[in-house]
Amino acid sequence: MKIQIRDNICPVTVASTADVMIVIDVPFVGLPPCLFNRNPHQINAENFLPHRPHIAVMPYQLPLERERERERISQQQFSKRSIIVQRSKASMLQLFRTAPAMMATRRLCSSQSINNPVKWGILSAGRIASDYAKAITVTDGAIASAVAARCPTKAKEFAALHGITASYGSYHDVIKSPDVDVVYIGTTADHHFEWAKQSLRAGKPTVVEKPMTLRLSDTQELIDLARENNTFLMEGMWTRCFPAMHKLRQIIASGELGQIVYCQGDFGWKFPTDQPNDRIWYKESGGVTLDIGMYCAQIGRVAFPNGQLKDVRATGTVKNGVDFSVMATVTYQHDDETVEDGLLQFAVTGAANTEERLVIQGTKGRATLDAPFHVPERLRIHKDQGRGETEEVVYDYPLPNDPFGVWNNPGSIGFFHQINEVGKAVREGKTECDSYTWNDSLEVALIVDEIVDQVRGGESNDLTKSACQ
């Protein structure tokens, strides 16, 4: 029997698998849980890699635990010959990168997830779609079953990279596939409306990457179609699905911060000024507001859940025909006339990488989502104890261990929160996600429309006739 160790391709290559079981002894911390069953220190079929049936994975967490486990293994009787091979975390991560199909087919999940995973079909083989596919692989009860791109070769390469079974050169093929439960639309924004409409007409639950469409009227049309077909529809505002955001909304609703007075936030990243053909410069769908402005705009409905949109004022700069830097102030009014209007103020820019922090100030204290607030891991509450004096309470919600390390957009492993919520909503037969509703999308679309029109120059909407009111 010959055994060859090949770190750069896979942990072990075995000449004969008939009488060999390989135990790979690896650090457990920092590796994806999708490889292991709920009792990772028990050797059985659950520990075997699906694409290498002769290989089992045995993680350890601490050096002492490792030695005890190796001793236990040596005392066990196996029907096959056991060979213990020590492997580093680095070489295991190399395996994950070269064999992603393994990650898509093995995960730590509940019995419901095993028996009824939500199968995602992905429209686009671009950068954000790649991040989304990665996040699906580490999400309980979710698998990516199909992908489509305008170029069949690119779709095939994307499928191979992410362990996806089916690839197509037509978006229609994913939409009509019986092996797809939810369609994720990750195309450039100028194609969102068209393909979301096709997906909803086919009765497929649909998640559309931000922005849902390029204008309020198109967003309203998609929502009307979803309502008519009784079909799930969500704009991919994943920030709302993070535990820190849930906690923030709970604290605001409890009155702990008092009446919310104002919110301030910023979001900026350096646009590729040397790449004139980048999607960020598209006249219809480019610009800073349609790219990241909604992250700030959506905070209004968090801070003022019972308020009514009253006014949007924006000023900014234009570069290459699109809005480049923007400062906006959004005003909310309350039914109770004795309560002062609430203010949301934010800056977004393509000229600089900003701090990206959010502060919500109330009459009894303030809440801060530390940077980057669109992927919130820490919420800090400062309770007012007098002028210049506060009592701080910190809530930490760290992201899970990251098996990939490299993403196209920082923090994209956090997509798993949204993937989980969508899966739960679809299983329950809902048509909206509780964390980001249709009314949320409509209000943000109206704010974004106003900002783009005011900065680039255009005709403003009548806020008194807003569809979200």
Side-chain angles (χ1 to χ4, degrees):
M1 179 186 65
K2 297 180 180 179
I3 297 179
Q4 181 181 9
I5 307 299
R6 301 172 63 189
D7 275 346
N8 61 330
I9 297 178
C10 67
V12 181
T13 300
V14 184
S16 171
T17 63
D19 62 348
V20 177
M21 180 177 70
I22 305 298
V23 178
I24 305 174
D25 188 11
V26 299
F28 185 78
V29 177
L31 297 179
C34 55
L35 287 176
F36 315 124
N37 63 4
R38 291 197 180 278
N39 182 7
H41 293 152
Q42 177 182 355
I43 297 181
N44 54 39
E46 293 296 318
N47 291 88
F48 282 81
L49 309 188
H51 70 302
R52 303 252 198 277
H54 56 283
I55 300 177
V57 177
M58 291 300 299
Y60 65 85
Q61 293 179 305
L62 299 170
L64 179 61
E65 181 181 356
R66 171 189 174 191
E67 293 306 315
R68 289 174 178 171
E69 190 60 28
R70 288 169 68 91
E71 182 179 356
R72 188 185 69 80
I73 292 171
S74 66
Q75 295 173 353
Q76 284 193 355
Q77 299 296 318
F78 299 112
S79 58
K80 301 177 181 180
R81 184 185 303 178
S82 292
I83 300 175
I84 299 176
V85 181
Q86 183 176 341
R87 275 289 167 268
S88 68
K89 175 180 174 180
S91 68
M92 286 301 293
L93 290 178
Q94 178 65 26
L95 169 65
F96 300 154
R97 296 186 181 102
T98 56
M102 167 186 66
M103 299 184 67
T105 54
R106 291 285 298 121
R107 62 194 68 238
L108 177 64
C109 52
S110 64
S111 58
Q112 180 189 30
S113 299
I114 294 174
N115 297 327
N116 187 31
V118 173
K119 294 172 286 187
W120 289 77
I122 300 174
L123 304 193
S124 174
R127 291 163 57 87
I128 196 165
S130 180
D131 282 356
Y132 206 83
K134 281 182 176 180
I136 289 174
T137 66
V138 295
T139 304
D140 293 353
I143 60 172
S145 60
V147 62
R150 286 171 292 182
C151 173
T153 300
K154 190 173 181 180
K156 187 175 181 180
E157 292 172 351
F158 186 99
L161 177 65
H162 297 291
I164 299 174
T165 305
S167 65
Y168 303 99
S170 167
Y171 294 156
H172 284 292
D173 289 336
V174 169
I175 290 172
K176 68 183 182 182
S177 171
D179 200 37
V180 169
D181 299 319
V182 182
V183 172
Y184 168 76
I185 299 175
T187 63
T188 53
D190 50 333
H191 293 291
H192 287 180
F193 176 61
E194 172 190 359
W195 290 107
K197 190 158 57 172
Q198 295 288 342
S199 182
L200 291 170
R201 283 175 174 169
K204 290 285 189 181
T206 304
V207 175
V208 190
E209 194 48 68
K210 311 164 302 300
M212 184 180 288
T213 71
L214 302 182
R215 55 192 59 87
L216 173 63
S217 59
D218 288 347
T219 298
Q220 182 69 67
E221 184 174 339
L222 289 182
I223 289 172
D224 290 343
L225 183 59
R227 183 180 290 110
E228 178 184 338
N229 290 351
N230 194 34
T231 302
F232 180 88
L233 171 66
M234 180 188 179
E235 182 176 12
M237 182 51 70
W238 59 315
T239 302
R240 286 284 192 90
C241 301
F242 279 69
M245 187 62 72
H246 292 318
K247 184 64 176 179
L248 173 60
R249 299 180 78 173
Q250 177 187 339
I251 288 172
I252 290 173
S254 72
E256 186 176 332
L257 299 179
Q259 182 67 40
I260 303 302
V261 180
Y262 67 83
C263 318
Q264 287 182 319
D266 68 273
F267 196 162
W269 66 280
K270 287 186 177 181
F271 283 7
T273 55
D274 59 340
Q275 300 175 34
N277 295 323
D278 190 272
R279 54 100 187 165
I280 206 68
W281 303 115
Y282 293 176
K283 294 297 187 291
E284 279 290 311
S285 58
V288 69
T289 307
L290 284 168
D291 186 53
I292 55 177
M294 67 286 296
Y295 282 116
C296 294
Q298 59 89 18
I299 293 298
R301 285 183 68 86
V302 174
F304 310 108
N306 300 316
Q308 299 294 327
L309 189 60
K310 179 181 179 181
D311 186 46
V312 178
R313 300 292 175 91
T315 186
T317 63
V318 175
K319 188 180 184 70
N320 298 334
V322 301
D323 45 304
F324 190 57
S325 292
V326 170
M327 182 74 75
T329 301
V330 183
T331 306
Y332 288 83
Q333 63 184 6
H334 302 277
D335 291 336
D336 185 349
E337 295 182 356
T338 64
V339 178
E340 294 184 1
D341 292 345
L343 298 172
L344 164 64
Q345 186 179 63
F346 59 87
V348 289
T349 183
N353 298 315
T354 70
E355 181 184 11
E356 199 192 330
R357 187 169 62 110
L358 174 73
V359 176
I360 298 179
Q361 181 68 56
T363 56
K364 296 180 181 179
R366 69 178 181 272
T368 302
L369 285 176
D370 284 355
F373 85 81
H374 83 288
V375 188
E377 296 185 69
R378 171 171 287 186
L379 170 65
R380 290 186 290 122
I381 303 297
H382 288 89
K383 300 177 182 179
D384 187 5
Q385 302 294 311
R387 189 171 182 180
E389 297 182 9
T390 61
E391 175 189 344
E392 183 181 52
V393 179
V394 178
Y395 300 94
D396 282 319
Y397 303 94
L399 290 170
N401 288 337
D402 187 346
F404 296 102
V406 178
W407 300 76
N408 292 309
N409 297 287
S412 287
I413 192 173
F415 274 132
F416 88 93
H417 290 303
Q418 176 180 284
I419 295 166
N420 270 330
E421 289 203 24
V422 171
K424 183 174 184 292
V426 170
R427 286 193 183 97
E428 294 175 354
K430 294 182 178 180
T431 57
E432 299 181 63
C433 178
D434 293 338
S435 294
Y436 200 68
T437 67
W438 293 344
N439 278 341
D440 289 326
S441 288
L442 288 169
E443 179 170 293
V444 170
L446 178 54
I447 294 171
V448 168
D449 270 12
E450 280 294 309
I451 293 172
V452 172
D453 286 342
Q454 290 179 31
V455 175
R456 295 194 195 181
E459 186 175 330
S460 296
N461 293 286
D462 182 355
L463 298 189
T464 64
K465 297 180 181 179
S466 168
C468 59
Q469 293 185 6

